[in-house]
Amino acid sequence: MALRTAEEYREGLRDGRKVYLLGNPVPDVTEDPYIKVGVETGAHDFLMGHDPEMREIAVMKDTETGEEISTYFEVPDVPEVIKRRHNLILKACYYADGAIPFVKDVGTDIMNGIKVASRLMGNKEYEGRIDNYRRYCARNDLSMAGAVTDVKGDRRKGPSEQESPDYYVRVVDETEDEIVVSGAKAHITAGVYVDEILVIPTRNLTEAEADYAVAFAIPVNTPGITQICRPNFRFEDTNHFPTPHPRRGHVESLLIFDNVRVPKERVFMLREWQFAQILTYAFAAFHRFTAVTYKIPILEFMTGLGMLAADANGVSKASHVREIFVNMIKYTETTKSLARAALYEPEDFGGSGLFVPNRLTCNMAKLFFASNFHEFVRDIQDISGGLLVTQPTYRDWENPELNPYLRKYMGGASGYTAEERLKLMSSLHHTVGSDFAAWHEVCTIHAEGSFASQKMMLMVEAPIEEYKKKAKTIVGLNV
Ligand SMILES: Cc1cc2nc3c(=O)[nH]c(=O)nc-3n(C[C@H](O)[C@H](O)[C@H](O)COP(=O)(O)OP(=O)(O)OC[C@H]3O[C@@H](n4cnc5c(N)ncnc54)[C@H](O)[C@@H]3O)c2cc1C
């Protein structure tokens, strides 16, 4: 099958999947006004394959059939793949007006993680299954979400100690050909507008928790799967000033498995509890790099937006505002530099023969980005002024009685008409003053793992003994 078009992607989503939003069933996710924003953002992963400007980076040849497939499916068996993947994700984000399309990267991050884990297990059957599954997705040009985060109940307790045994996804039955799973995964980005979902454990497990050591892939419309999602884009389309490019972004879901049957050829881990942690680490090594890559266009856009706000208010030359500009540049460019630095020393993960970006640098990039984002937002809020949240809306602008007042009173620095200033403030409101902005702040902390997970990886990956050895030599300690 050739690379699908965006319309074929949308058509594939009309498959009887069970999705709820605001308490009501959603008959067609491509038509729902909230979910549609995510569908159209995701559609860029399909537009790219047909756009002459993007094809060089977005399309590769299937090594067995010579057929054109999406570059997302490239196996990272040489270090150069990591660099190509960084470029692919970065360009895809610029192509989708600054947002990550997201419907192929997390899925392939999981495929790569599973391939690493199956090699480290020495399990050829699992490796063969994930290779077949990768071929199936590549040749049918499918979209995928990644379901890692369990609902988890009491965080102090492991899966087997919880009040409900279903707080973590687990195997509840097994026959010769299939397994049956129950449980729920939370915050699943794009889960309601992809073809397939890949599921892996979220943490290390004990022998008593072997039933929770399960990894598999499943079509979204499989009986027993229900997804509940909520709008992230309330209020946006009708009240904001129109822009040449529509708003982009994503929708998450609570993904429920109620006795879902999974054929064994789609199962990539079954009770090998000793390898659950390796699988989550391998996935995180790929996915955290996806994260720091897709943040770059967002930070560039926000920095530009903040600087324009200062221009429109006529304060760009004030010394304290220039100080803010320096902070914004420092933050954006340091995040970019750390992301790029992770490319220069890719690692063979655990001797698996598969390459991941440098994990220490990658975790530092994510931690640096996430720990400083709120301050960055605060600076943009500062230079924008209160209009950020009190601005008249586009509906007021369109009211012939109100429009002359707005033209008269909403002007700013010379060069900015009232309309341009309000249009800019409208985008600023969306980005740093709206419900969506708060979503973004939370996403920055938690998506791709919250602070503690990066700090833990820093302690694992940093050359701590080397640091100490050097200090001991200089001080002259023999301990
Ligand atoms: C916008 C968004 C998109 C996301 N997309 C996806 C996705 O597509 N797929 C996916 O699988 N996940 C996704 N996630 C989930 C994300 O990975 C998690 O939110 C993150 O790992 C934190 O888990 P949590 O939300 O359960 O918070 P918690 O783990 O409950 O964290 C809350 C606080 O508790 C602390 N804590 C947690 N456990 C312990 C403990 N045992 N001991 C001490 N302290 C503890 C944490 O450090 C943190 O400070 C997404 C999240 C967001 C916000």
Side-chain angles (χ1 to χ4, degrees):
M1 186 179 172
L3 288 167
R4 288 195 297 168
T5 61
E7 188 41 42
E8 285 168 327
Y9 157 66
R10 290 184 202 105
E11 186 51 44
L13 303 176
R14 300 178 190 119
D15 59 359
R17 58 192 53 212
K18 206 168 167 195
V19 172
Y20 287 82
L21 182 128
L22 297 173
N24 295 313
V26 179
D28 180 351
V29 292
T30 69
E31 290 301 327
D32 178 86
Y34 300 113
I35 301 175
K36 197 178 173 155
V37 177
V39 174
E40 293 310 313
T41 304
H44 286 78
D45 270 342
F46 295 89
L47 292 170
M48 286 196 300
H50 301 276
D51 185 332
E53 303 234 324
M54 294 298 288
R55 278 177 53 81
E56 192 180 337
I57 197 156
V59 181
M60 62 182 253
K61 290 268 161 72
D62 185 318
T63 49
E64 289 166 5
T65 64
E67 222 184 350
E68 286 190 338
I69 56 170
S70 161
T71 321
Y72 281 102
F73 294 101
E74 189 170 21
V75 178
D77 50 7
V78 287
E80 292 70 40
V81 176
I82 299 302
K83 196 163 186 185
R84 282 202 284 274
R85 197 168 167 84
H86 173 75
N87 285 334
L88 169 67
I89 295 169
L90 196 58
K91 296 269 163 57
C93 294
Y94 289 126
Y95 189 61
D97 309 315
I100 183 167
F102 208 78
V103 297
K104 287 184 180 169
D105 44 37
V106 64
T108 47
D109 283 339
I110 292 193
M111 285 180 201
N112 291 336
I114 292 174
K115 190 164 167 77
V116 167
S118 60
R119 281 207 180 160
L120 297 180
M121 272 187 233
N123 191 318
K124 292 240 173 337
E125 187 162 0
Y126 287 152
E127 191 178 348
R129 286 183 194 172
I130 194 66
D131 288 346
N132 286 339
Y133 180 71
R134 187 191 298 259
R135 280 185 210 105
Y136 167 74
C137 291
R139 291 174 189 174
N140 291 286
D141 200 24
L142 298 181
S143 55
M144 300 135 302
V148 183
T149 313
D150 292 279
V151 293
K152 297 189 292 200
D154 184 337
R155 270 67 177 154
R156 289 165 305 177
K157 296 178 178 169
S160 58
E161 303 156 329
Q162 299 283 343
E163 213 161 276
S164 163
D166 291 342
Y167 279 166
Y168 287 75
V169 170
R170 66 183 176 128
V171 181
V172 291
D173 202 359
E174 181 181 357
T175 65
E176 202 179 324
D177 304 323
E178 61 184 20
I179 59 169
V180 182
V181 295
S182 281
K185 297 273 186 182
H187 334 290
I188 306 310
T189 306
V192 300
Y193 45 91
V194 288
D195 304 292
E196 293 269 327
I197 295 185
L198 283 116
V199 178
I200 61 170
T202 197
R203 53 168 293 159
N204 60 323
L205 297 167
T206 64
E207 193 170 359
E209 294 161 347
D211 283 340
Y212 297 91
V214 61
F216 58 91
I218 192 86
V220 172
N221 65 348
T222 305
I225 293 183
T226 302
Q227 297 194 73
I228 305 171
C229 54
R230 53 175 288 129
N232 285 336
F233 309 96
R234 267 175 279 177
F235 189 65
E236 298 304 335
D237 293 334
T238 50
N239 300 334
H240 273 266
F241 275 66
T243 50
H245 297 271
R247 307 262 183 239
R248 303 290 178 209
H250 288 287
V251 174
E252 292 77 34
S253 63
L254 175 65
L255 166 65
I256 297 159
F257 295 93
D258 187 356
N259 289 297
V260 173
R261 298 182 171 287
V262 186
K264 284 225 171 123
E265 68 265 17
R266 281 171 162 268
V267 175
F268 314 114
M269 172 178 276
L270 184 57
R271 303 199 178 86
E272 292 84 0
W273 58 272
Q274 306 92 324
F275 291 92
Q277 188 173 46
I278 285 177
L279 176 51
T280 55
Y281 279 8
F283 159 68
F286 290 106
H287 193 51
R288 225 151 266 168
F289 190 60
T290 297
V292 292
T293 302
Y294 84 74
K295 303 302 184 190
I296 293 172
I298 296 172
L299 296 191
E300 289 173 339
F301 168 68
M302 290 175 73
T303 300
L305 210 52
M307 290 178 169
L308 291 177
D311 285 351
N313 288 340
V315 295
S316 292
K317 295 211 160 52
S319 61
H320 72 281
V321 173
R322 293 185 81 79
E323 190 66 31
I324 287 177
F325 284 2
V326 168
N327 285 342
M328 295 198 307
I329 294 167
K330 195 168 70 183
Y331 172 59
T332 298
E333 294 303 322
T334 307
T335 304
K336 273 166 81 171
S337 304
L338 284 169
R340 287 188 186 135
L343 287 173
Y344 287 104
E345 288 179 275
E347 299 166 27
D348 177 342
F349 192 108
S352 63
L354 293 165
F355 288 85
V356 296
N358 181 278
R359 283 185 286 167
L360 177 59
T361 318
C362 202
N363 277 284
M364 281 188 340
K366 170 66 174 54
L367 185 60
F368 175 81
F369 164 76
S371 342
N372 292 288
F373 185 76
H374 294 63
E375 212 172 303
F376 176 65
V377 169
R378 183 204 63 195
D379 283 346
I380 299 173
Q381 291 170 341
D382 182 4
I383 45 184
S384 301
L387 210 51
L388 194 54
V389 290
T390 64
Q391 61 196 260
T393 65
Y394 186 58
R395 289 197 196 184
D396 303 308
W397 181 260
E398 289 216 296
N399 180 322
E401 197 186 331
L402 304 180
N403 184 277
Y405 286 133
L406 299 183
R407 284 187 190 280
K408 181 174 174 190
Y409 291 114
M410 287 293 113
S414 65
Y416 277 85
T417 62
E419 183 174 11
E420 279 167 334
R421 184 156 173 261
L422 280 177
K423 191 171 178 184
L424 177 62
M425 285 295 163
S426 169
S427 270
L428 279 155
H429 171 80
H430 175 72
T431 312
V432 295
S434 65
D435 284 1
F436 175 70
W439 173 92
H440 210 162
E441 288 189 339
V442 177
C443 174
T444 297
I445 297 175
H446 285 295
E448 300 97 18
S450 38
F451 297 130
S453 49
Q454 285 115 58
K455 288 179 184 168
M456 185 178 73
M457 290 315 294
L458 252 55
M459 292 304 288
V460 171
E461 295 294 330
I464 290 174
E465 287 312 313
E466 278 296 304
Y467 299 150
K468 287 191 191 169
K469 196 169 143 202
K470 284 180 179 136
K472 278 185 198 168
T473 309
I474 292 168
V475 179
L477 300 180
N478 292 319
V479 285

